[in-house]
Every structure is written in C-alpha cells, then in structure tokens.
Amino acid sequence: MPPEWSSSPPDLLLVIDRTSGRPLRAQLEQELREAIRSCRLRAGERLPSSRELARTLGLSRGLVQDCYAQLVAEGYLVTRPGSATRVGAGAATSPGAAGPRAEATRLVADFRWGVPDLSSFPVHDWLWATREAARGMTTAELDYGDSRGSSVLREVLAGYLRRVRAASGDPELIVVCNGYAQGLGLVLRVLAERGVRTVAFEDPGSPATVDAAAGAAGLRAVPVPVDEHGIDVRALAATDARAVVVTPAHQWPTGVALAPERRLALIQWATDRNAVIIEDDYDAEFRYDREPVGALQGLAPDRVVSLGTVSKSLAPALRIGWVACPPALAGPLAEHKHRSDRGTPTLDQLALARLIESGRFDRHLRRMRATYSARRAALLTALAEHAPGLRVTGLAAGFHAVAHLPAGADEHRVVAAARARSVGLYGMSACRASRAATPARLVLGFGDVREQSVVEGVAAIGDLLTDRRRSTGP
Amino acid sequence: MPPEWSSSPPDLLLVIDRTSGRPLRAQLEQELREAIRSCRLRAGERLPSSRELARTLGLSRGLVQDCYAQLVAEGYLVTRPGSATRVGAGAATSPGAAGPRAEATRLVADFRWGVPDLSSFPVHDWLWATREAARGMTTAELDYGDSRGSSVLREVLAGYLRRVRAASGDPELIVVCNGYAQGLGLVLRVLAERGVRTVAFEDPGSPATVDAAAGAAGLRAVPVPVDEHGIDVRALAATDARAVVVTPAHQWPTGVALAPERRLALIQWATDRNAVIIEDDYDAEFRYDREPVGALQGLAPDRVVSLGTVSKSLAPALRIGWVACPPALAGPLAEHKHRSDRGTPTLDQLALARLIESGRFDRHLRRMRATYSARRAALLTALAEHAPGLRVTGLAAGFHAVAHLPAGADEHRVVAAARARSVGLYGMSACRASRAATPARLVLGFGDVREQSVVEGVAAIGDLLTDRRRSTGP
C-alpha cells in the first residue's frame, strides 16, 4: 500500500462483463480507450495504479499492467519512472473547454463600490479560527443542523449586535444566512406569504432590492425618494407598501444618516400600517465620526428586521450574513431557510464565532478603520488638489463617497472620459429608479483601492469632475 | 498598544453628547450602566481597556478609569489584577435565554438513515485542504464570484463525474450549490419558470421532494410507484408530469437499481414529452458490487439534470452540492443561484477541489467503503442470527437496508416496541405518498452506527422483526 496520500489513485468507473465471454484484457483496454476518447478521462489525468485497479476489478495485476503497456504503446497513456500513469496529451480533443478570458484592462484606479479591501482579509486569523472551530466541533455538529444556524454563532452574534450596534440581540431571533442577499430574499418571501404585496425601497438605493422583490413571489417594488435626512417618510406613507428596505446608519449610496426625527417617523409609520422595516446594516462597522448611529432595530425590535453581513467587514467570498428579526417572523424565516438550503455551512459559522469571541474580529475592524480612514483622507486631499470646489458627501462611515458633479454635467460622459484614462468611475444613476432629471453624481468606492492608487487615480481625472466643458462637451 | 490579540478589547457603542453640557464622566457612567441593565452587555463580557475606550471616545484615560472604578464599586463591573474588566455576574438578569434542552434518550443503536459516519469525517484532511486552498487563493477570489461556483471546483468536479460516475462532465454546465436541497429547489424553480406545472416523484421516495416542489412556485407533485426494477415508467407516462425526480443508481429508499430497459424507457419518455429527468445521485460513491451503475446523465446529458452532494461522502454540515445540467438550463440555473445567495462560499469550494485533486477524497471514500462494508456484513450476520428468515434488500450500495416485515405486521408497533428497548427503528411509511395497504418495511440506516452498536441493536430487537405475535399483538 502506498503510504503517501499523493500517490493515492483516483476512482474510475470501468465495467467488466464476465458473462460476455470476451477476453477480460480486451474489455479493459476498450473501456479505457473509450473513457479517454469520450473525455471521461482527460489529458494529464492520473490513472489508478495497476495494483489498485486490479484489486477493484478483481483482475490479476499482470493483466492490468499488460493493458496499460498496450495503451502506452498506442499513445493513450504516458508513464514515467516513479510517477503515476497518466492520460497522454492529445489522446483526445477536449470539448466544451472555454476559450481564454480576455484580461480586463489594467486600471490606474478602480473606484468601484461595495467591496472591502480584499488584500487585507485576515487569512491567518481565519485559518486559525477554522482550526480552533474544527477542534472544538462535536460529531453532532457535522450533521444537518438547526436551519437558523449554529447556536454558538447566534449567541456570539447576539452579544456582538448588542455591544456594537445597540441592537436587541436575542440568539433565538437570529437566523444565519449565506450573506445579505439570501437574508433579504428569505425575509421578502416570508412577508409575501403573510400578505405583503408591495415593498418600498430607497431611491437612490440598491438596484438588487428590486430584483430580490420580484424574485420573492412577485412582490411589487416602489421607489421612495431619499433627501439629505434619509428616506422621505411622508412619501413612503403615500404608497401602499407594508414593508420598506432602508439603510439608516449610512444610506446607500448617498451616505446620509437617517435623521433622528425620521427614525421615529419611520417607526411610527410601521406601527400605524402594521408594516415591517428591513434594515440593511451593511457597513455599520466602519464609522469615522465620534457619535456612531445605533441600529434602528434596537429602537423597535418588534417592527424592524435587521440584516448584517461579513461581506464588508471580512470578505464577500465567505458568504455569511444574519437576520435579527421580530419574534413573529423568526419561525417562518427559519422554515424558509430550511427549505432553501437546510442551513449555512457549520464550520464557517463556528469559525466566525471563534474569530469574534477571540477579539481578532474587533482587532481586524480597528485595523481596517485606520486603513479606510487613511484612504478617505487621501481621497479628500487629492480631490481638493485636482478638483478644487468639488462637493463631496457621504463620508461619515463606510468606504465610499459621493462626488456632486457641476450642474449640467453628464455622468456617463465623465465615466467614459475617465475610462479612456484608465480610471474606473461609477455614476449614481445605476442606483436610481427614475433616470429623468437627476443631478449628476459619482459614487467613489475606496474600499479596495490603495492609497497610492487613490492619489494617482484622482490626479488623472480630477479635471473631469469640475471642468464642465471637458465632461459635457461633444 | 497591547501586542496580544487576546487582550484586544471588544467594540462597544457608547454615545457621549458634548453639546448637552452634562459632565462627560456622568454621561459615560450612565451609558455603561444602561448598556448593562438593558443586557447589551451581559455578565462576563469583557470591556475595552480604559486606554482604548478613552481613545475611541476622545476622553482622558483617567476619566475612564474613574468611571470604571465607580461601576466596580457599584457591582456593575468586576476586575482582577492582570485581567480585563468584565461585566459582573448578576448585574442584570438575562432575558430571552432559552431553557435547558432535554437530553435525547441515549439509544443502544439508532438506525436512522441519510447520515454518513460523522465520526469518520476527515477533519485533518479538510483543514489541510482549507489551508492549501487559502494559500493559493487570489485576492479576486475573495470578492463576489461567479454564481455558478469557482471555476477551479467546477473543473475538478467535471473530471470527477466523468471518471467516477461515467457522467458527461462539463465545467460550463455545472452549478455548485449549498447541498442537494438547494440544487433541487433551484432546478424546480427554473422548470416552473419554463412552464412545467407537474413534477413526478418516486413512491416510496423522499418526502422532501414534495415540499421542494410546493416551495418552488407551487409545482404540483405526483407520486409514481416504484417496483423491483425501479420507477414504473408506464405509470409515469400516464401522468401529465414534465419532470421527474429519480434515484437510478440506488433507489431511495428501496435500494433497487433502475433496470437497463427502464433506464432507456425513462429517457425515451423524456424525449417524447420534452421532459426533464432530475437524477439524485446521492450515495453513488458507495457501492459494494463489482459492476457499478453509471449516472443516467451520462446516457442523455441533454435530458438529465444530475444532482450530487458531499453530505453522504463527507458531512452534511459542509453544505456543498452540485448540479450538472443540460446546456439549455445552465444559464437560468446560474441566474437563480445568483438571486438566491450570490454563490456558495468560495474557500469551502476551493478546499473541496484541493481535497479531490490531492487524492485524499478518493482515499477517504475507499476507507469509508470498507467501514460501511463491515457494518453491512455485521448487520446481515446479526439479522441472520436474531431475526432468521427476515428478508433484507437494497444493500447493493449506500448505507441503508430494507427489512421486509412479515405480512400483517404493523410498522408503527414495531418501531414503538423497539424504541421501548432503546433502539431507533424507522418505518418506510414516512417515505410513502399513499399510506393505504402498503407492506410493512423498515429502512435500516447503518451509516452512523458503529459495528458494535449494529450487533447490540439487532440483538435487542431481532425478535420484533419476525415474530408476528409480539410486533402486532395488543
């Protein structure tokens, strides 16, 4: 028996028919040839050792060796001393292979939004937490679990939400999801099932909300305008919506905080209409002013569903988020989560719990706050130098800013002109429900842009942001 | 700055209002008291160091220290030399905490089905693969990815399906999902969107199919009987179904393989009706006979959607599965996956790819085949001894058997009588669409039952399986 894992042979489905009367070696050769021709075995793939294959198929090892030798002679297989037998290059043409992807043009700076600094992902801390979690994991935790998520993570998240977000954190009312998108989708399905027909969303806001609403049992989505105090609650009240998706701590994408009187008015609206407020607490962890804005959910836990995610604090690829919901919705939400996928991967959940509990998550957040704070400062300094007079707002939290282009400027032209200079800019129009007569704005994401690139990028396109003739000319 | 992560303070949301004119120390004390009283901070939770909190709030360290001292005096906080300041026990009562869960009765043996041997999960190999995957991961792979899944895993899975399942493995036609349940749900949604109204399922079969069908845009689910050759294709053709969920390699739960002529008839049915066959390839990796049954999908890749999972080969808690689908469905399926949750966690996917590529997955499967094979033998031996004459079928693959109770026996009574002797048995009636006049059968899962427990469990209840008087008496 080979002691090393690296020499373990792969599995291979070959059928030998002992009742057919045909010689076994001929059958095996034909099976292997056919497997290679039909691309079930592709160039470079390793074959089982002759010993292993002989044992699996109940043949003599010599027969398998002869068969391999024959196919090597025919070019189907290749072999080198001390190495596994593999399928020969060019033994069959490989169908269905995708062509090479065009490399994206290399940009000086790409101010795309919604992505944190991916290169700062604390990979060693995550691996440490995964290892620790796996060590402490019980056998039962490897089974199908509570569809709401691991009780360990729910307990830790509840404590975290209470501490950091002034939220009403109760582990029994938390459902762990695969990121924000799944959480929103499931909440909307639950609401649709309970008779909600229309869901309101912020305008400007996230275009994904409309898609999620349509995907959830055909809910109608209506836009409600956002001004400098957040969502216009009077306009909301004029709709027939019985649910609304809001970003109170740091409105997406304008960056304003929902004003205190609006917070109260919104809760009053929900109470009067027997409606539900869905709070997207997407980048709550990153704030730069002294007085942070607590979660709306803490004020009215019976009316507010609060959605959180690690996509901005750690990395989108982890696909972990959570829903903290009113008692009435917890049961139906758990049921929908069960129906959807039986629960979020347990080891990942336990790793996140360990990361938070150990203090490493908080440490990462502090480090990232310093990083984003420096990028934010670099952005403001560079804009002041290269686009003097440009109005920039929305910077109290998170990692994006809003640049107000001069009256009459054309977002699309500015974006195109910047692209011609290898700088990625993104207009706010993509976040708007109505495209008519809206002021030209850019959403400048700086989460995944290094300080140096921020400076170089702004230097390259600063003139486009203030000079009307260049940005709107023919 | 404390250099150790273990002394990193947690984040804490406290609001100090400098415009109110109230003393800052009084404000801070009140904020902390309130956080403890309202259970945002709970007994035993760690507070930030005075230095850290002072920096965060822009206060002097002395002020924070005085404030902490005051709250220690009041019993809200506790402190010990060289240790972090924590919330005192009993500082506030903790609401919403769930009561202690009743411990499940300890069983001699629990022949529940659908679960592999959880204690054999190759945790070291998985951690190794995770570490390797993380090391080789690009920054871009930490971002939102292709909703179909990592191209690395899809490539590896395609090779694996071709090799082991004689399937038509094309990475472009594979969508990675969070286990089988999500895969089935998404496929049914796609079919519903394309006009399918009725989906057929095997009877007996998995009750989850009916639930999934109802959950997917209200598809109607119709049962089709299974006999000793698998699903009755003639009965299927008598329904108006344009999709069917089948388990051809090892029918769940009867354990029969779909007979060759039925395989062809099923594909013919799909071609004639422009219908789709959904193949649940759930325990394909574990077979004990020499001539394994290849995936149906390999015969008709344009008609068959094949669903796989690691829930039986590794552990359900990983939540990884895949769908290999016809070209026409690949796009819509990727779209539904995107809408559902943006994709399966990337690091987990890369770890699975590494596990398979390295040969460690195959090695694990071989080890498990030996384990299950031994349990299967122990089960048969014990049944022959303690329940002589009992008919046992369905053992060609997987890790469950079907015990045929004597005519007239009552499944529920046998199950209840076994439970009274601390042995978990499960009747096949839970898998049946129609309950009237069906033969009494037990589905004996031995995946997560040790050999010793198999022997002891059967010894304890063997008489119930053959002795009609005991199992059906008053």
Side-chain angles (χ1 to χ4, degrees):
Chain A
M1 286 288 290
E4 276 294 298
W5 59 265
S6 59
S7 53
S8 292
D11 247 318
L12 183 62
L13 176 65
L14 298 170
V15 178
I16 302 297
D17 183 359
R18 283 176 174 71
T19 64
S20 70
R22 288 184 50 228
L24 296 176
R25 180 179 146 183
Q27 284 192 46
L28 180 57
E29 283 178 16
Q30 191 182 344
E31 279 286 303
L32 282 169
R33 274 192 214 98
E34 183 47 39
I36 294 165
R37 276 198 217 102
S38 66
C39 296
R40 278 168 48 207
L41 280 168
R42 290 193 178 179
E45 282 190 322
R46 197 160 39 106
L47 268 81
S49 71
S50 56
R51 190 202 307 259
E52 179 64 32
L53 189 59
R55 201 166 58 77
T56 306
L57 297 175
L59 301 170
S60 81
R61 193 176 169 200
L63 184 151
V64 176
Q65 284 173 330
D66 289 351
C67 169
Y68 276 19
Q70 176 66 30
L71 293 174
V72 166
E74 292 176 12
Y76 283 95
L77 302 179
V78 289
T79 185
R80 266 181 311 191
S83 175
T85 303
R86 292 175 186 272
V87 178
T93 48
S94 170
R101 266 207 308 175
E103 273 292 290
T105 317
R106 183 113 183 90
L107 296 174
V108 174
D110 189 3
F111 294 98
R112 71 197 181 111
W113 30 259
V115 188
D117 187 49
L118 298 172
S119 62
S120 294
F121 176 69
V123 65
H124 294 293
D125 282 350
W126 185 258
L127 287 174
W128 170 85
T130 303
R131 209 164 51 236
E132 289 287 305
R135 276 190 194 145
M137 207 171 181
T138 65
T139 303
E141 284 173 320
L142 288 163
D143 203 346
Y144 294 95
D146 187 330
S147 67
R148 293 176 301 173
S150 153
S151 62
V152 175
L153 177 60
R154 287 186 290 118
E155 191 75 50
V156 168
L157 281 176
Y160 179 77
L161 293 174
R162 289 194 307 270
R163 271 197 294 119
V164 177
R165 301 298 301 134
S168 166
D170 181 339
E172 298 300 311
L173 301 178
I174 289 177
V175 175
V176 179
C177 291
N178 303 340
Y180 168 82
Q182 185 182 48
L184 178 63
L186 295 178
V187 168
L188 292 178
R189 268 179 215 288
V190 167
L191 294 179
E193 210 170 61
R194 294 165 72 92
V196 172
R197 292 287 158 263
T198 308
V199 56
F201 64 95
E202 297 173 324
D203 181 21
S206 167
T209 310
V210 185
D211 189 44
L219 280 175
R220 199 167 66 91
V222 295
V224 172
V226 168
D227 61 26
E228 68 275 25
H229 304 294
I231 192 167
D232 181 340
V233 180
R234 212 170 293 181
L236 171 62
T239 73
D240 65 342
R242 277 187 48 221
V244 62
V245 183
V246 288
T247 46
H250 187 225
Q251 204 273 331
W252 172 262
T254 67
V256 302
L258 189 61
E261 63 278 12
R262 290 274 178 93
R263 289 166 81 91
L264 299 177
L266 188 60
I267 291 168
Q268 191 59 53
W269 165 82
T271 308
D272 293 347
R273 298 287 175 91
N274 190 23
V276 173
I277 300 164
I278 301 167
E279 174 174 39
D280 175 3
D281 213 23
Y282 68 110
D283 62 4
E285 286 88 356
F286 303 109
R287 48 172 201 267
Y288 309 105
D289 47 356
R290 278 278 157 66
E291 318 293 328
V293 183
L296 195 62
Q297 188 261 5
L299 284 178
D302 285 351
R303 285 286 157 208
V304 180
V305 176
S306 188
L307 294 156
T309 174
V310 300
S311 294
K312 310 295 181 258
S313 54
L314 290 167
L318 293 181
R319 310 306 310 127
I320 306 182
W322 53 86
V323 182
C325 68
L329 301 183
L333 191 62
E335 206 173 290
H336 274 268
K337 172 67 180 168
H338 177 81
R339 191 180 278 175
S340 170
D341 62 12
R342 302 284 184 272
T344 291
T346 307
L347 187 54
D348 296 345
Q349 293 187 60
L350 295 175
L352 178 59
R354 203 72 198 84
L355 198 74
I356 295 175
E357 262 184 338
S358 68
R360 292 185 184 213
F361 183 65
D362 281 345
R363 185 180 62 168
H364 172 68
L365 291 182
R366 279 199 304 282
R367 203 162 41 202
M368 295 319 296
R369 245 175 250 133
T371 300
Y372 296 139
S373 187
R375 291 179 185 179
R376 176 178 176 267
L379 179 68
L380 289 174
T381 307
L383 286 173
E385 183 182 347
H386 300 287
L390 179 73
R391 194 173 159 224
V392 183
T393 58
L395 274 159
F399 33 79
H400 77 271
V402 175
H404 299 242
L405 296 178
D410 181 323
E411 260 177 49
H412 298 290
R413 279 174 197 260
V414 173
V415 168
R419 179 64 60 157
R421 299 182 195 173
S422 297
V423 173
L425 292 182
Y426 302 88
M428 195 186 275
S429 58
C431 305
R432 295 187 193 277
S434 60
R435 314 234 154 181
T438 51
R441 305 227 165 130
L442 300 175
V443 183
L444 299 171
F446 55 86
D448 202 25
V449 195
R450 283 155 198 263
E451 235 170 292
Q452 184 61 27
S453 300
V454 166
V455 173
E456 287 173 18
V458 171
I461 53 90
D463 61 313
L464 299 174
L465 308 182
T466 47
D467 184 351
R468 267 193 64 190
R469 278 163 306 164
R470 287 211 196 181
S471 58
T472 62
Chain B
M1 286 289 290
E4 276 296 298
W5 59 265
S6 58
S7 53
S8 292
D11 247 319
L12 183 62
L13 176 66
L14 298 170
V15 178
I16 302 298
D17 182 1
R18 284 177 174 71
T19 64
S20 70
R22 287 183 52 229
L24 297 177
R25 181 179 147 183
Q27 284 192 47
L28 180 57
E29 283 178 15
Q30 192 182 344
E31 281 287 303
L32 282 169
R33 273 192 214 99
E34 184 47 41
I36 293 165
R37 275 198 219 103
S38 66
C39 297
R40 279 167 47 208
L41 280 169
R42 290 193 179 178
E45 283 190 322
R46 197 159 39 107
L47 269 81
S49 71
S50 54
R51 192 202 305 260
E52 180 64 30
L53 190 59
R55 201 165 60 75
T56 307
L57 297 175
L59 301 171
S60 81
R61 192 177 170 199
L63 185 151
V64 176
Q65 283 172 330
D66 288 351
C67 169
Y68 275 18
Q70 176 65 30
L71 294 174
V72 167
E74 291 176 12
Y76 284 94
L77 302 179
V78 289
T79 185
R80 267 180 309 190
S83 175
T85 303
R86 292 177 185 272
V87 177
T93 48
S94 170
R101 267 206 309 174
E103 272 293 290
T105 316
R106 184 114 181 87
L107 297 175
V108 174
D110 189 3
F111 293 98
R112 70 196 181 112
W113 29 260
V115 188
D117 186 50
L118 299 172
S119 63
S120 294
F121 176 70
V123 63
H124 294 293
D125 282 350
W126 184 258
L127 287 174
W128 171 84
T130 302
R131 210 165 50 237
E132 289 286 305
R135 277 192 192 140
M137 206 172 183
T138 65
T139 303
E141 282 174 320
L142 288 163
D143 203 346
Y144 295 96
D146 188 330
S147 67
R148 292 176 302 172
S150 152
S151 62
V152 174
L153 177 60
R154 287 187 288 116
E155 191 76 49
V156 168
L157 282 176
Y160 179 77
L161 293 174
R162 288 193 308 269
R163 270 197 295 119
V164 177
R165 300 298 302 132
S168 166
D170 181 339
E172 298 299 311
L173 301 178
I174 288 177
V175 175
V176 179
C177 291
N178 303 340
Y180 168 80
Q182 186 183 49
L184 178 62
L186 295 177
V187 167
L188 292 177
R189 269 179 215 287
V190 167
L191 294 180
E193 210 170 61
R194 294 164 72 91
V196 172
R197 293 285 157 265
T198 307
V199 57
F201 63 95
E202 297 172 324
D203 181 21
S206 169
T209 310
V210 185
D211 189 45
L219 280 175
R220 199 166 67 90
V222 296
V224 173
V226 168
D227 61 26
E228 68 275 23
H229 304 294
I231 192 167
D232 180 342
V233 181
R234 212 170 294 180
L236 171 62
T239 72
D240 65 342
R242 277 188 47 223
V244 62
V245 183
V246 289
T247 46
H250 187 225
Q251 204 273 331
W252 172 260
T254 66
V256 303
L258 188 62
E261 63 279 10
R262 290 274 177 94
R263 290 166 78 92
L264 299 178
L266 189 59
I267 290 167
Q268 191 60 50
W269 165 82
T271 308
D272 293 346
R273 297 288 175 93
N274 190 24
V276 173
I277 300 164
I278 302 167
E279 174 175 39
D280 175 3
D281 212 23
Y282 68 109
D283 63 5
E285 287 89 355
F286 303 108
R287 46 171 204 268
Y288 309 105
D289 46 358
R290 276 279 157 66
E291 318 294 327
V293 184
L296 196 62
Q297 187 261 5
L299 284 179
D302 285 351
R303 286 284 157 211
V304 180
V305 176
S306 187
L307 294 156
T309 173
V310 300
S311 294
K312 309 295 181 258
S313 54
L314 289 166
L318 293 181
R319 309 308 309 125
I320 307 182
W322 53 85
V323 183
C325 68
L329 300 183
L333 190 62
E335 206 173 289
H336 275 269
K337 173 65 179 168
H338 177 80
R339 191 181 279 175
S340 171
D341 62 10
R342 303 284 184 274
T344 292
T346 308
L347 187 54
D348 296 344
Q349 292 186 61
L350 294 174
L352 178 60
R354 203 73 197 82
L355 197 74
I356 296 174
E357 262 184 339
S358 68
R360 293 185 183 213
F361 183 66
D362 281 346
R363 186 180 60 168
H364 172 68
L365 291 183
R366 279 198 306 280
R367 203 161 41 202
M368 294 318 297
R369 244 176 250 133
T371 299
Y372 297 138
S373 188
R375 290 180 185 179
R376 174 178 177 267
L379 179 68
L380 288 174
T381 307
L383 286 173
E385 183 182 346
H386 300 285
L390 178 74
R391 195 174 158 223
V392 183
T393 57
L395 274 159
F399 34 79
H400 77 270
V402 175
H404 299 241
L405 297 178
D410 182 323
E411 258 179 50
H412 298 289
R413 278 175 196 259
V414 173
V415 168
R419 178 65 58 158
R421 300 183 195 174
S422 297
V423 173
L425 292 183
Y426 303 88
M428 196 186 275
S429 58
C431 306
R432 295 189 192 276
S434 60
R435 313 232 155 181
T438 52
R441 305 226 166 130
L442 299 174
V443 183
L444 299 172
F446 54 86
D448 202 25
V449 195
R450 282 155 198 266
E451 235 171 290
Q452 184 59 27
S453 301
V454 166
V455 174
E456 288 173 16
V458 171
I461 53 91
D463 61 313
L464 299 175
L465 309 182
T466 47
D467 184 351
R468 267 194 61 190
R469 279 163 305 164
R470 286 213 197 179
S471 59
T472 62

